Coordinates of all heavy atoms in Angstrom, one line a residue:
M15 N -33.8 103.5 -218.3 CA -34.6 104.2 -219.2 C -34.7 105.6 -218.7 O -35.1 105.8 -217.6 CB -36.0 103.5 -219.3 CG -36.9 104.4 -220.2 SD -38.6 103.7 -220.3 CE -38.2 102.2 -221.2
V16 N -34.5 106.5 -219.6 CA -34.7 107.9 -219.3 C -36.0 108.3 -219.9 O -36.3 108.1 -221.1 CB -33.6 108.8 -219.8 CG1 -33.9 110.3 -219.6 CG2 -32.2 108.4 -219.2
K17 N -36.9 108.9 -219.1 CA -38.2 109.3 -219.6 C -38.3 110.8 -219.7 O -37.7 111.5 -218.8 CB -39.3 108.8 -218.6 CG -39.5 107.3 -218.7 CD -40.8 106.9 -218.0 CE -41.0 105.5 -218.2 NZ -42.4 105.1 -218.3
V18 N -38.9 111.3 -220.7 CA -39.2 112.7 -220.9 C -40.7 113.0 -220.9 O -41.4 112.3 -221.7 CB -38.5 113.2 -222.2 CG1 -38.8 114.7 -222.4 CG2 -37.1 112.9 -222.3
G19 N -41.1 113.8 -220.1 CA -42.6 114.2 -220.0 C -43.0 115.0 -221.2 O -42.1 115.7 -221.8
P20 N -44.2 114.8 -221.7 CA -44.7 115.6 -222.8 C -44.5 117.1 -222.6 O -44.2 117.8 -223.6 CB -46.1 115.3 -222.9 CG -46.3 114.0 -222.2 CD -45.2 114.0 -221.1
D21 N -44.6 117.6 -221.4 CA -44.4 119.0 -221.1 C -42.9 119.4 -221.2 O -42.6 120.6 -221.2 CB -44.9 119.3 -219.7 CG -44.3 118.5 -218.6 OD1 -43.9 117.3 -218.8 OD2 -44.1 119.0 -217.5
Q22 N -42.0 118.5 -221.3 CA -40.6 118.8 -221.4 C -40.2 119.0 -222.9 O -39.1 119.5 -223.1 CB -39.7 117.7 -220.8 CG -39.8 117.7 -219.3 CD -39.0 116.5 -218.7 OE1 -39.5 115.4 -218.7 NE2 -37.8 116.8 -218.3
L23 N -41.0 118.5 -223.8 CA -40.6 118.6 -225.2 C -40.9 120.0 -225.7 O -42.0 120.6 -225.3 CB -41.4 117.6 -226.0 CG -41.1 116.2 -225.9 CD1 -42.0 115.3 -226.7 CD2 -39.6 115.9 -226.3
P24 N -40.1 120.6 -226.6 CA -40.4 121.9 -227.2 C -41.6 121.8 -228.0 O -42.0 120.8 -228.5 CB -39.1 122.1 -228.0 CG -38.1 121.2 -227.5 CD -38.8 120.0 -227.0
F25 N -42.3 122.9 -228.2 CA -43.5 123.1 -229.0 C -43.2 122.5 -230.4 O -42.2 122.8 -231.0 CB -43.9 124.5 -229.1 CG -45.1 124.7 -229.9 CD1 -46.4 124.4 -229.4 CD2 -45.1 125.3 -231.1 CE1 -47.5 124.5 -230.1 CE2 -46.2 125.5 -231.9 CZ -47.5 125.1 -231.4
D26 N -44.2 121.7 -230.9 CA -44.1 121.1 -232.2 C -42.9 120.3 -232.5 O -42.4 120.1 -233.7 CB -44.2 122.2 -233.3 CG -45.7 122.6 -233.6 OD1 -46.6 121.9 -233.1 OD2 -45.9 123.7 -234.2
F27 N -42.3 119.7 -231.5 CA -41.1 118.9 -231.6 C -41.2 117.8 -232.7 O -40.2 117.7 -233.5 CB -40.8 118.2 -230.3 CG -39.6 117.2 -230.3 CD1 -38.3 117.8 -230.2 CD2 -39.7 115.9 -230.5 CE1 -37.2 116.9 -230.3 CE2 -38.6 115.0 -230.5 CZ -37.4 115.6 -230.4
F28 N -42.3 117.2 -232.9 CA -42.4 116.1 -233.9 C -42.6 116.6 -235.3 O -42.6 115.9 -236.2 CB -43.6 115.1 -233.5 CG -43.3 114.4 -232.3 CD1 -43.9 114.7 -231.0 CD2 -42.3 113.3 -232.3 CE1 -43.6 113.9 -229.9 CE2 -42.0 112.6 -231.1 CZ -42.7 112.9 -229.9
K29 N -42.7 117.9 -235.4 CA -42.8 118.6 -236.7 C -41.4 119.1 -237.2 O -41.2 119.5 -238.3 CB -43.8 119.7 -236.8 CG -45.2 119.2 -236.6 CD -46.2 120.4 -236.6 CE -47.6 119.9 -236.4 NZ -48.6 121.0 -236.4
W30 N -40.5 119.1 -236.2 CA -39.1 119.5 -236.6 C -38.4 118.6 -237.5 O -38.8 117.4 -237.6 CB -38.3 119.6 -235.3 CG -38.6 120.6 -234.3 CD1 -39.7 121.4 -234.2 CD2 -37.9 120.9 -233.1 NE1 -39.7 122.2 -233.1 CE2 -38.6 121.9 -232.4 CE3 -36.7 120.4 -232.5 CZ2 -38.1 122.4 -231.2 CZ3 -36.3 120.9 -231.3 CH2 -37.0 121.9 -230.7
S31 N -37.4 119.0 -238.2 CA -36.6 118.2 -239.0 C -35.9 117.1 -238.1 O -35.7 117.4 -236.9 CB -35.5 118.9 -239.8 OG -34.5 119.4 -238.9
R32 N -35.5 116.0 -238.6 CA -34.8 115.0 -237.8 C -33.5 115.5 -237.3 O -33.2 115.2 -236.1 CB -34.6 113.7 -238.7 CG -35.8 113.0 -239.0 CD -35.5 111.6 -239.5 NE -36.7 110.9 -239.8 CZ -37.3 110.0 -239.0 NH1 -36.8 109.7 -237.9 NH2 -38.4 109.4 -239.4
N33 N -32.8 116.3 -238.0 CA -31.5 116.9 -237.6 C -31.8 117.8 -236.3 O -31.0 117.7 -235.4 CB -30.8 117.6 -238.6 CG -30.2 116.7 -239.7 OD1 -30.0 115.5 -239.4 ND2 -29.9 117.2 -240.8
D34 N -32.8 118.6 -236.4 CA -33.1 119.4 -235.2 C -33.6 118.6 -234.0 O -33.2 118.9 -232.9 CB -34.2 120.5 -235.6 CG -33.7 121.5 -236.5 OD1 -32.4 121.7 -236.7 OD2 -34.5 122.2 -237.2
Q35 N -34.3 117.6 -234.3 CA -34.7 116.7 -233.2 C -33.5 116.1 -232.5 O -33.4 116.0 -231.3 CB -35.7 115.6 -233.7 CG -37.1 116.1 -234.0 CD -37.9 114.9 -234.6 OE1 -37.4 113.9 -235.0 NE2 -39.2 115.2 -234.7
I36 N -32.6 115.5 -233.3 CA -31.4 114.9 -232.8 C -30.6 115.9 -232.0 O -30.0 115.6 -231.0 CB -30.6 114.2 -233.9 CG1 -31.5 113.0 -234.4 CG2 -29.3 113.8 -233.5 CD1 -30.9 112.4 -235.7
A37 N -30.4 117.1 -232.5 CA -29.7 118.1 -231.8 C -30.3 118.4 -230.5 O -29.5 118.5 -229.5 CB -29.6 119.4 -232.7
W38 N -31.6 118.5 -230.4 CA -32.2 118.8 -229.1 C -32.1 117.6 -228.1 O -31.7 117.7 -227.0 CB -33.7 119.0 -229.3 CG -34.4 119.4 -228.0 CD1 -34.5 120.6 -227.4 CD2 -35.0 118.5 -227.0 NE1 -35.1 120.6 -226.2 CE2 -35.5 119.2 -225.9 CE3 -35.2 117.1 -227.0 CZ2 -36.1 118.7 -224.8 CZ3 -35.8 116.5 -225.9 CH2 -36.3 117.3 -224.9
I39 N -32.2 116.4 -228.7 CA -32.1 115.2 -227.8 C -30.6 115.1 -227.3 O -30.4 114.8 -226.1 CB -32.4 113.9 -228.6 CG1 -33.9 113.9 -229.0 CG2 -32.0 112.6 -227.9 CD1 -34.3 112.9 -230.0
K40 N -29.6 115.3 -228.1 CA -28.2 115.3 -227.7 C -28.0 116.4 -226.6 O -27.4 116.1 -225.6 CB -27.3 115.5 -228.9 CG -25.8 115.5 -228.5 CD -24.9 115.4 -229.6 CE -23.5 115.3 -229.3 NZ -23.0 115.2 -227.9
E41 N -28.5 117.6 -226.8 CA -28.4 118.6 -225.8 C -29.1 118.2 -224.5 O -28.5 118.4 -223.4 CB -29.0 119.9 -226.3 CG -28.8 121.1 -225.4 CD -29.4 122.4 -225.9 OE1 -29.2 122.6 -227.2 OE2 -30.0 123.1 -225.2
F42 N -30.2 117.6 -224.6 CA -31.0 117.2 -223.4 C -30.1 116.1 -222.7 O -29.9 116.1 -221.5 CB -32.3 116.6 -223.8 CG -33.1 116.1 -222.6 CD1 -33.9 117.0 -221.9 CD2 -33.1 114.8 -222.2 CE1 -34.6 116.5 -220.8 CE2 -33.8 114.3 -221.1 CZ -34.6 115.2 -220.4
W43 N -29.7 115.1 -223.4 CA -28.9 114.0 -222.9 C -27.6 114.5 -222.2 O -27.3 114.1 -221.1 CB -28.5 113.0 -224.0 CG -27.9 111.8 -223.6 CD1 -26.5 111.5 -223.5 CD2 -28.5 110.6 -223.1 NE1 -26.3 110.3 -223.0 CE2 -27.5 109.7 -222.8 CE3 -29.8 110.2 -222.9 CZ2 -27.7 108.4 -222.3 CZ3 -30.1 108.9 -222.5 CH2 -29.0 108.0 -222.2
D44 N -26.9 115.4 -222.9 CA -25.6 116.0 -222.4 C -25.8 116.8 -221.1 O -24.9 117.0 -220.3 CB -24.9 116.8 -223.4 CG -24.3 115.9 -224.5 OD1 -24.2 114.7 -224.4 OD2 -24.0 116.5 -225.6
S45 N -27.1 117.3 -220.9 CA -27.3 118.2 -219.7 C -27.8 117.4 -218.5 O -27.9 117.9 -217.4 CB -28.4 119.2 -220.1 OG -29.6 118.6 -220.2
M46 N -27.9 116.1 -218.7 CA -28.4 115.2 -217.6 C -27.3 115.1 -216.5 O -26.1 115.1 -216.8 CB -28.8 113.8 -218.0 CG -30.0 113.8 -218.9 SD -30.6 112.2 -219.3 CE -31.0 111.5 -217.7
T47 N -27.7 115.2 -215.2 CA -26.8 115.1 -214.1 C -26.7 113.6 -213.6 O -27.5 112.8 -214.1 CB -27.3 115.9 -212.9 OG1 -28.6 115.4 -212.5 CG2 -27.5 117.4 -213.4
K48 N -25.8 113.4 -212.8 CA -25.6 112.1 -212.2 C -27.0 111.7 -211.5 O -27.4 110.5 -211.5 CB -24.5 112.0 -211.2 CG -24.2 110.7 -210.5 CD -23.0 110.7 -209.6 CE -22.8 109.4 -209.0 NZ -21.7 109.3 -208.1
Q49 N -27.6 112.6 -210.8 CA -28.8 112.4 -210.1 C -29.9 112.0 -211.1 O -30.7 111.1 -210.8 CB -29.3 113.6 -209.3 CG -30.6 113.3 -208.5 CD -31.0 114.5 -207.7 OE1 -30.3 115.5 -207.6 NE2 -32.1 114.4 -207.0
D50 N -30.0 112.6 -212.3 CA -30.9 112.2 -213.3 C -30.8 110.8 -213.7 O -31.7 110.0 -213.9 CB -30.8 113.1 -214.6 CG -31.1 114.6 -214.3 OD1 -32.0 114.9 -213.4 OD2 -30.6 115.4 -215.0
F51 N -29.5 110.4 -213.9 CA -29.2 109.0 -214.3 C -29.6 108.0 -213.2 O -30.1 106.9 -213.4 CB -27.8 108.8 -214.8 CG -27.5 109.4 -216.1 CD1 -26.7 110.5 -216.3 CD2 -28.0 108.8 -217.3 CE1 -26.5 111.0 -217.5 CE2 -27.8 109.3 -218.5 CZ -27.0 110.4 -218.7
M52 N -29.3 108.4 -211.9 CA -29.6 107.5 -210.8 C -31.2 107.4 -210.7 O -31.6 106.3 -210.4 CB -29.1 108.1 -209.5 CG -27.5 108.1 -209.5 SD -26.8 106.5 -209.8 CE -27.2 105.6 -208.4
Q53 N -31.9 108.4 -211.0 CA -33.4 108.3 -211.0 C -33.9 107.4 -212.1 O -34.8 106.6 -211.9 CB -34.0 109.7 -211.1 CG -33.9 110.5 -209.8 CD -34.4 111.9 -210.0 OE1 -34.5 112.5 -211.1 NE2 -34.8 112.6 -208.9
A54 N -33.2 107.5 -213.2 CA -33.6 106.6 -214.3 C -33.3 105.1 -213.9 O -34.1 104.2 -214.2 CB -32.8 106.9 -215.6
L55 N -32.2 104.8 -213.2 CA -31.9 103.5 -212.7 C -32.9 103.1 -211.7 O -33.3 101.9 -211.6 CB -30.5 103.4 -212.2 CG -29.4 103.4 -213.2 CD1 -28.0 103.5 -212.5 CD2 -29.4 102.2 -214.1
D56 N -33.3 104.0 -210.8 CA -34.2 103.7 -209.7 C -35.6 103.3 -210.2 O -36.3 102.6 -209.6 CB -34.3 104.9 -208.8 CG -35.0 104.6 -207.5 OD1 -34.8 103.5 -206.9 OD2 -35.8 105.4 -207.1
Y57 N -35.9 103.8 -211.4 CA -37.2 103.5 -212.0 C -37.4 102.1 -212.4 O -38.4 101.5 -212.4 CB -37.4 104.4 -213.3 CG -38.5 104.0 -214.2 CD1 -39.8 104.4 -213.9 CD2 -38.3 103.2 -215.3 CE1 -40.9 104.0 -214.7 CE2 -39.3 102.9 -216.2 CZ -40.6 103.2 -215.8 OH -41.7 102.9 -216.6
L58 N -36.2 101.4 -212.7 CA -36.3 100.0 -213.1 C -36.8 99.1 -212.0 O -36.5 99.3 -210.8 CB -34.9 99.5 -213.5 CG -34.3 100.2 -214.7 CD1 -32.8 99.7 -214.9 CD2 -35.1 99.9 -216.0
D59 N -37.6 98.1 -212.4 CA -38.1 97.0 -211.5 C -37.2 95.8 -211.8 O -37.3 95.2 -212.9 CB -39.5 96.7 -211.8 CG -40.1 95.6 -210.9 OD1 -39.3 94.9 -210.3 OD2 -41.3 95.5 -210.9
P60 N -36.3 95.5 -210.9 CA -35.4 94.4 -211.2 C -36.0 93.1 -211.6 O -35.4 92.3 -212.4 CB -34.7 94.2 -209.8 CG -34.8 95.5 -209.1 CD -36.1 96.0 -209.6
E61 N -37.2 92.8 -211.2 CA -37.9 91.5 -211.6 C -38.5 91.6 -213.0 O -38.7 90.6 -213.6 CB -38.9 91.2 -210.6 CG -38.3 90.9 -209.2 CD -39.1 90.0 -208.3 OE1 -40.2 89.5 -208.8 OE2 -38.8 89.9 -207.2
E62 N -38.7 92.8 -213.5 CA -39.4 92.9 -214.8 C -38.6 93.6 -215.9 O -38.7 93.3 -217.0 CB -40.7 93.7 -214.6 CG -41.7 92.9 -213.8 CD -43.0 93.7 -213.6 OE1 -43.3 94.6 -214.4 OE2 -43.8 93.4 -212.7
D63 N -37.8 94.6 -215.5 CA -37.2 95.5 -216.5 C -35.7 95.4 -216.7 O -35.2 95.8 -217.7 CB -37.5 97.0 -216.1 CG -39.0 97.3 -216.1 OD1 -39.7 96.8 -217.0 OD2 -39.4 98.0 -215.2
S64 N -35.0 94.9 -215.7 CA -33.6 95.1 -215.8 C -32.9 93.7 -216.0 O -33.2 92.8 -215.3 CB -33.0 95.8 -214.6 OG -33.2 95.0 -213.4
V65 N -32.1 93.7 -217.0 CA -31.2 92.5 -217.2 C -29.8 93.0 -217.4 O -29.6 94.0 -218.2 CB -31.7 91.8 -218.5 CG1 -30.7 90.7 -218.9 CG2 -33.1 91.2 -218.3
P66 N -28.8 92.5 -216.7 CA -27.5 93.0 -217.0 C -27.1 92.6 -218.4 O -27.3 91.5 -218.8 CB -26.6 92.3 -216.0 CG -27.5 91.3 -215.3 CD -28.9 91.5 -215.7
D67 N -26.6 93.6 -219.1 CA -26.3 93.4 -220.5 C -24.8 93.0 -220.8 O -24.5 92.4 -221.8 CB -26.5 94.7 -221.4 CG -28.0 94.9 -221.6 OD1 -28.7 94.0 -222.0 OD2 -28.5 96.0 -221.4
C68 N -24.0 93.2 -219.8 CA -22.6 92.9 -220.0 C -21.9 92.7 -218.7 O -22.1 93.4 -217.8 CB -21.9 94.0 -220.8 SG -20.2 93.7 -221.2
L69 N -21.0 91.7 -218.7 CA -20.1 91.4 -217.6 C -18.7 91.4 -218.1 O -18.4 90.6 -219.0 CB -20.5 90.0 -216.9 CG -19.6 89.6 -215.8 CD1 -19.7 90.6 -214.6 CD2 -19.9 88.2 -215.3
E70 N -18.0 92.4 -217.6 CA -16.6 92.5 -218.2 C -15.6 92.6 -217.0 O -15.9 93.0 -215.9 CB -16.5 93.7 -219.1 CG -16.6 95.0 -218.4 CD -16.5 96.2 -219.4 OE1 -16.6 96.0 -220.6 OE2 -16.3 97.3 -218.9
V71 N -14.4 92.2 -217.3 CA -13.3 92.3 -216.4 C -12.7 93.7 -216.4 O -12.5 94.3 -217.5 CB -12.1 91.3 -216.8 CG1 -11.0 91.4 -215.8 CG2 -12.7 89.9 -216.8
D72 N -12.4 94.3 -215.2 CA -11.9 95.6 -215.2 C -10.4 95.6 -215.4 O -9.6 95.8 -214.5 CB -12.2 96.3 -213.8 CG -11.9 97.7 -213.8 OD1 -11.6 98.3 -214.8 OD2 -11.9 98.3 -212.6
D73 N -10.0 95.2 -216.6 CA -8.6 95.1 -217.0 C -8.3 96.1 -218.1 O -9.2 96.9 -218.5 CB -8.2 93.7 -217.3 CG -9.0 93.1 -218.5 OD1 -9.7 93.9 -219.2 OD2 -8.9 91.9 -218.7
E74 N -7.1 96.1 -218.6 CA -6.8 97.0 -219.7 C -7.6 96.8 -221.0 O -7.8 97.8 -221.7 CB -5.3 97.0 -220.0 CG -4.4 97.5 -218.9 CD -2.9 97.5 -219.2 OE1 -2.6 97.4 -220.4 OE2 -2.1 97.6 -218.3
E75 N -8.0 95.6 -221.2 CA -8.7 95.3 -222.4 C -10.3 95.3 -222.2 O -11.0 95.1 -223.2 CB -8.3 94.0 -223.0 CG -6.9 94.0 -223.6 CD -5.9 93.7 -222.5 OE1 -6.1 93.0 -221.6 OE2 -4.8 94.3 -222.7
Y76 N -10.7 95.4 -221.0 CA -12.1 95.3 -220.6 C -12.7 94.0 -221.2 O -13.6 94.0 -222.0 CB -12.9 96.5 -221.1 CG -12.5 97.8 -220.5 CD1 -11.7 98.7 -221.2 CD2 -12.8 98.1 -219.1 CE1 -11.2 99.9 -220.6 CE2 -12.3 99.3 -218.5 CZ -11.5 100.2 -219.3 OH -11.1 101.3 -218.7
T77 N -12.0 92.9 -220.9 CA -12.4 91.6 -221.4 C -13.8 91.3 -221.1 O -14.2 91.3 -219.9 CB -11.5 90.5 -220.8 OG1 -10.1 90.9 -221.1 CG2 -11.7 89.2 -221.4
I78 N -14.6 91.0 -222.1 CA -16.0 90.6 -221.9 C -16.2 89.2 -221.6 O -15.7 88.3 -222.3 CB -16.9 91.0 -223.1 CG1 -16.9 92.6 -223.3 CG2 -18.3 90.5 -223.0 CD1 -17.6 93.1 -224.5
L79 N -16.8 88.9 -220.5 CA -17.1 87.5 -220.1 C -18.4 87.0 -220.6 O -18.6 85.8 -221.0 CB -17.0 87.3 -218.6 CG -15.7 87.8 -217.9 CD1 -15.9 87.6 -216.4 CD2 -14.6 86.9 -218.4
A80 N -19.4 87.9 -220.7 CA -20.7 87.5 -221.2 C -21.4 88.8 -221.6 O -21.2 89.9 -221.0 CB -21.5 86.8 -220.1
E81 N -22.2 88.7 -222.6 CA -23.0 89.9 -223.1 C -24.3 89.4 -223.7 O -24.4 88.3 -224.3 CB -22.2 90.7 -224.1 CG -21.9 90.0 -225.4 CD -20.9 90.8 -226.3 OE1 -20.9 92.0 -226.2 OE2 -20.3 90.1 -227.1
T82 N -25.3 90.3 -223.7 CA -26.6 90.0 -224.4 C -26.5 90.5 -225.8 O -25.6 91.3 -226.2 CB -27.7 90.8 -223.7 OG1 -27.5 92.2 -223.8 CG2 -27.9 90.4 -222.2
P83 N -27.4 90.0 -226.7 CA -27.4 90.5 -228.0 C -27.7 92.0 -228.1 O -27.1 92.7 -229.0 CB -28.6 89.7 -228.7 CG -28.7 88.4 -227.9 CD -28.3 88.8 -226.5
A84 N -28.4 92.5 -227.1 CA -28.7 94.0 -227.1 C -27.4 94.7 -226.8 O -27.1 95.8 -227.5 CB -29.7 94.3 -226.0
W85 N -26.5 94.2 -225.9 CA -25.2 94.9 -225.7 C -24.3 94.8 -226.9 O -23.7 95.8 -227.3 CB -24.5 94.3 -224.5 CG -23.2 95.0 -224.2 CD1 -22.0 94.6 -224.5 CD2 -23.1 96.2 -223.5 NE1 -21.0 95.5 -224.1 CE2 -21.7 96.5 -223.4 CE3 -24.0 97.1 -222.9 CZ2 -21.2 97.6 -222.8 CZ3 -23.5 98.2 -222.3 CH2 -22.1 98.5 -222.3
K86 N -24.3 93.7 -227.5 CA -23.5 93.5 -228.7 C -23.9 94.5 -229.8 O -23.1 95.1 -230.5 CB -23.6 92.0 -229.2 CG -22.5 91.7 -230.3 CD -22.5 90.2 -230.5 CE -21.3 89.9 -231.4 NZ -20.8 88.6 -231.2
A87 N -25.2 94.6 -230.0 CA -25.8 95.5 -231.0 C -25.4 97.0 -230.6 O -25.1 97.8 -231.4 CB -27.3 95.4 -231.1
F88 N -25.5 97.3 -229.3 CA -25.2 98.7 -228.8 C -23.8 99.0 -229.1 O -23.4 100.2 -229.4 CB -25.5 98.7 -227.3 CG -25.1 100.0 -226.7 CD1 -25.8 101.2 -226.9 CD2 -24.0 100.1 -225.9 CE1 -25.4 102.4 -226.3 CE2 -23.6 101.3 -225.3 CZ -24.3 102.4 -225.5
M89 N -22.9 98.0 -229.0 CA -21.5 98.3 -229.1 C -21.0 98.2 -230.6 O -19.9 98.5 -230.9 CB -20.6 97.3 -228.3 CG -20.8 97.6 -226.8 SD -20.5 99.3 -226.3 CE -18.7 99.4 -226.5
A90 N -21.9 97.8 -231.5 CA -21.5 97.6 -232.9 C -21.2 99.0 -233.5 O -21.7 100.0 -233.1 CB -22.7 97.0 -233.7
E91 N -20.3 99.0 -234.5 CA -19.9 100.2 -235.1 C -21.1 101.0 -235.7 O -21.9 100.4 -236.4 CB -18.9 99.9 -236.3 CG -18.3 101.2 -236.9 CD -17.3 100.8 -238.0 OE1 -16.7 99.8 -237.9 OE2 -17.1 101.7 -238.8
G92 N -21.2 102.2 -235.3 CA -22.2 103.1 -235.8 C -23.6 103.0 -235.0 O -24.5 103.7 -235.3
A93 N -23.6 102.0 -234.1 CA -24.9 101.7 -233.4 C -25.3 102.9 -232.4 O -26.4 103.0 -232.1 CB -24.8 100.4 -232.6
Q94 N -24.3 103.6 -232.0 CA -24.6 104.7 -231.0 C -25.0 106.0 -231.6 O -25.1 107.0 -230.9 CB -23.5 104.8 -230.0 CG -23.3 103.6 -229.2 CD -22.1 103.7 -228.2 OE1 -21.9 104.7 -227.6 NE2 -21.4 102.6 -228.1
K95 N -25.3 106.0 -232.9 CA -25.7 107.2 -233.6 C -27.2 107.4 -233.3 O -28.0 106.5 -233.4 CB -25.5 107.0 -235.1 CG -25.9 108.2 -235.9 CD -25.7 108.0 -237.4 CE -26.2 109.2 -238.2 NZ -26.1 109.0 -239.6
L96 N -27.6 108.6 -232.9 CA -29.0 108.9 -232.6 C -29.8 108.9 -233.8 O -29.4 109.6 -234.8 CB -29.1 110.2 -231.8 CG -28.6 110.2 -230.4 CD1 -28.6 111.6 -229.8 CD2 -29.4 109.3 -229.5
I97 N -30.9 108.3 -233.8 CA -31.9 108.3 -234.9 C -33.2 108.7 -234.3 O -33.8 108.0 -233.5 CB -32.0 107.0 -235.6 CG1 -30.6 106.5 -236.1 CG2 -33.0 107.0 -236.7 CD1 -30.6 105.1 -236.6
A98 N -33.7 109.9 -234.7 CA -35.0 110.3 -234.2 C -36.1 109.5 -234.7 O -36.1 109.1 -235.9 CB -35.2 111.8 -234.6
E99 N -37.1 109.2 -233.9 CA -38.3 108.4 -234.3 C -39.4 109.4 -234.6 O -39.5 110.5 -234.1 CB -38.7 107.6 -233.1 CG -37.7 106.5 -232.7 CD -37.5 105.4 -233.8 OE1 -38.5 105.1 -234.4 OE2 -36.4 105.0 -233.9
E100 N -40.2 109.0 -235.6 CA -41.3 109.8 -236.0 C -42.4 109.7 -234.9 O -42.6 108.6 -234.3 CB -41.9 109.4 -237.3 CG -40.9 109.7 -238.4 CD -41.6 109.5 -239.8 OE1 -42.8 109.7 -239.9 OE2 -40.8 109.0 -240.7
G101 N -43.0 110.8 -234.6 CA -44.1 110.8 -233.5 C -45.4 110.5 -234.0 O -45.8 110.3 -235.1

């Protein structure tokens, strides 16, 4: 989980159009470093928060051995499109 502090959001973010919110979120996401992602992973509590979503073979087809419904939904066509939430 990547967390954004209220002080990191632009002024009146929740009053922006959805397209402008999504553009800002994409820019924020794209600017994240490897260290940012590692901190997000470090935030997880393995006993409460983290469940492996997919186990796959590192072959040419990336054969999936097991997956959660969340992973299947994430990989569904169109599922990775950002949709801004109302604040």
Side-chain angles (χ1 to χ4, degrees):
M15 175 182 293
V16 175
K17 291 191 172 212
V18 177
D21 58 327
Q22 292 177 275
L23 290 175
F25 181 73
D26 279 344
F27 177 80
F28 293 105
K29 293 181 181 177
W30 292 7
S31 72
R32 288 194 183 260
N33 286 340
D34 289 344
Q35 289 176 345
I36 291 169
W38 184 87
I39 292 165
K40 182 167 178 6
E41 183 178 320
F42 180 87
W43 187 267
D44 289 345
S45 71
M46 290 184 67
T47 65
K48 181 178 180 179
Q49 182 177 358
D50 293 332
F51 284 109
M52 295 305 291
Q53 287 175 339
L55 287 172
D56 191 42
Y57 167 79
L58 295 174
D59 179 344
E61 295 200 10
E62 295 180 16
D63 297 322
S64 64
V65 173
D67 285 312
C68 182
L69 177 61
E70 69 183 15
V71 179
D72 191 12
D73 59 12
E74 290 183 17
E75 290 84 32
Y76 300 103
T77 305
I78 293 176
L79 301 177
E81 64 185 336
T82 63
W85 183 259
K86 191 169 191 156
F88 174 74
M89 294 305 292
E91 185 176 336
Q94 296 179 39
K95 179 179 177 184
L96 289 174
I97 301 171
E99 296 292 324
E100 292 190 36

